[in-house]
Amino acid sequence: MAVNFDIRLLRMFIAVAETGVVSKAAERLARTQAAVSMQLQRIEQDLNTQLLERSSKGVALTDAGKSFLAYARKTVALTEDMQRGLTDQRLAGRVRVGMFEDLAVTRLPTALAEFRRKHPYVEIELTSSYSKELARMLTEGRADLVIADPARFTVPPQSCISRRLVWSASRLIDVEEKVSLPLILFDTECSWQDRMLSALAEAGTAWHTGCKVKTLPAMLSALRAGLGFGLLFPEAVPLDCAVIDGQYGLPNAPSAEFGVFYGAKASILVQELALFLNHDY
């Protein structure tokens, strides 16, 4: 018997496979853990096949799960390519994009430039700010699309982007292992910083505040000055600093999750840009 899957179910399965933990996938999708678990069971029941091995540490793909993941990714990619093909010839106008300021050092600006080259009649107006301000901009109609911390929004994102973080420090920093570690902390609301502090507590790693900063440039300056350890995107680590994952008793660095948000009445242009970023960034 043929089985038809909603594209949202396939995206959910991909998120679970990529995170390896149902709760993290649920957080990324802005769904409850119970809802995601029920949908996973529904997929397995429809296929009459076990796709996941479940344990207290998370989930792992069975051989059938690995095959299904490949089909799911291919189907999602083909669907997005089809949507692009239908809109490629009529994209024109202006789109106001707001992004969390730390994303300026990642590939996101390059992805926006690629979209602009593909659609020469599209004008992109880019603003960077804090997630709370970006949420306000979207609500007040001052931005058409924003990429920011989902925890600072009252609505779920249209899609999510996950980015790896690394521990970093000056190459000249002199700190003994198994002592209280100086950390450079953002003096603003930051979800991945909250997860970082929870991981340190679980690992029993002693730490103290070496410096507080409000912006990414200030974080980079504090790192280069040797004032402590900090979390960064790999692309942001200065040349005179180093990645120190696994050293000094530090736990694994958390990932940074960002939501792609736009309004219910978003134009085709805005929706197409969101699809492009979710697929190409």
Side-chain angles (χ1 to χ4, degrees):
M1 180 179 66
V3 179
N4 295 317
F5 289 108
D6 188 303
I7 195 71
R8 289 171 294 185
L9 281 180
L10 298 181
R11 286 197 173 102
M12 181 214 65
F13 183 81
I14 292 170
V16 172
E18 289 179 346
T19 61
V21 181
V22 173
S23 60
K24 288 186 178 179
E27 182 181 347
R28 177 189 295 189
L29 299 167
R31 303 284 299 278
T32 66
Q33 184 173 343
V36 173
S37 295
M38 289 178 61
Q39 297 286 27
L40 289 173
Q41 292 173 8
R42 172 185 163 188
I43 294 175
E44 291 180 319
Q45 289 171 358
D46 287 345
L47 292 173
N48 194 28
T49 304
Q50 184 177 357
L51 302 176
L52 299 167
E53 294 280 359
R54 295 162 174 85
S55 70
S56 59
K57 295 183 179 180
V59 296
L61 294 173
T62 63
D63 289 340
K66 293 176 183 177
S67 297
F68 185 74
L69 176 62
Y71 285 119
R73 283 174 168 160
K74 183 176 181 180
T75 301
V76 170
L78 287 173
T79 301
E80 292 174 351
D81 286 345
M82 177 270 293
Q83 291 171 325
R84 283 197 189 91
L86 293 175
T87 58
D88 273 353
Q89 301 304 314
R90 61 173 185 264
L91 287 181
R94 182 181 68 148
V95 56
R96 298 165 300 172
V97 178
M99 69 175 183
F100 183 66
E101 67 166 4
D102 289 31
L103 292 171
V105 301
T106 70
R107 189 180 170 275
L108 179 57
T110 301
L112 291 172
E114 289 174 358
F115 184 85
R116 175 66 177 76
R117 282 194 294 271
K118 187 175 182 180
H119 304 287
Y121 299 107
V122 171
E123 176 187 352
I124 295 177
E125 181 181 302
L126 183 60
T127 301
S128 66
S129 189
Y130 301 116
S131 293
K132 185 179 290 188
E133 173 60 19
L134 292 172
R136 188 179 300 115
M137 290 175 62
L138 188 66
T139 300
E140 296 176 354
R142 293 184 286 124
D144 304 305
L145 181 150
V146 300
I147 306 100
D149 182 352
R152 310 308 164 199
F153 289 73
T154 58
V155 296
Q158 301 293 336
S159 60
C160 290
I161 297 171
S162 181
R163 280 292 170 267
R164 173 180 170 239
L165 292 167
V166 296
W167 289 103
S168 59
S170 167
R171 296 181 186 275
L172 302 178
I173 196 168
D174 185 17
V175 176
E176 295 181 7
E177 295 202 29
K178 299 183 180 180
V179 299
S180 178
L181 303 179
L183 299 185
I184 303 172
L185 303 177
F186 281 108
D187 192 20
T188 56
E189 294 178 327
C190 180
S191 291
W192 75 67
Q193 182 165 280
D194 294 341
R195 292 196 294 272
M196 172 193 78
L197 297 179
S198 295
L200 287 165
E202 290 178 7
T205 303
W207 63 274
H208 62 276
T209 302
C211 181
K212 283 194 173 183
V213 298
K214 291 185 178 294
T215 64
L216 177 60
M219 164 67 81
L220 298 179
S221 296
L223 277 172
R224 298 183 68 190
L227 300 182
F229 302 149
L231 278 180
L232 288 176
F233 294 112
E235 305 95 322
V237 178
L239 293 177
D240 52 358
C241 294
V243 174
I244 56 169
D245 286 353
Q247 301 179 43
Y248 301 99
L250 290 168
N252 292 333
S255 61
E257 303 287 340
F258 295 97
V260 179
F261 297 86
Y262 53 82
K265 298 181 180 180
S267 66
I268 292 177
L269 168 57
V270 171
Q271 295 179 51
E272 178 62 15
L273 176 56
L275 273 175
F276 179 86
L277 292 176
N278 194 53
H279 187 266
D280 288 54
Y281 171 54

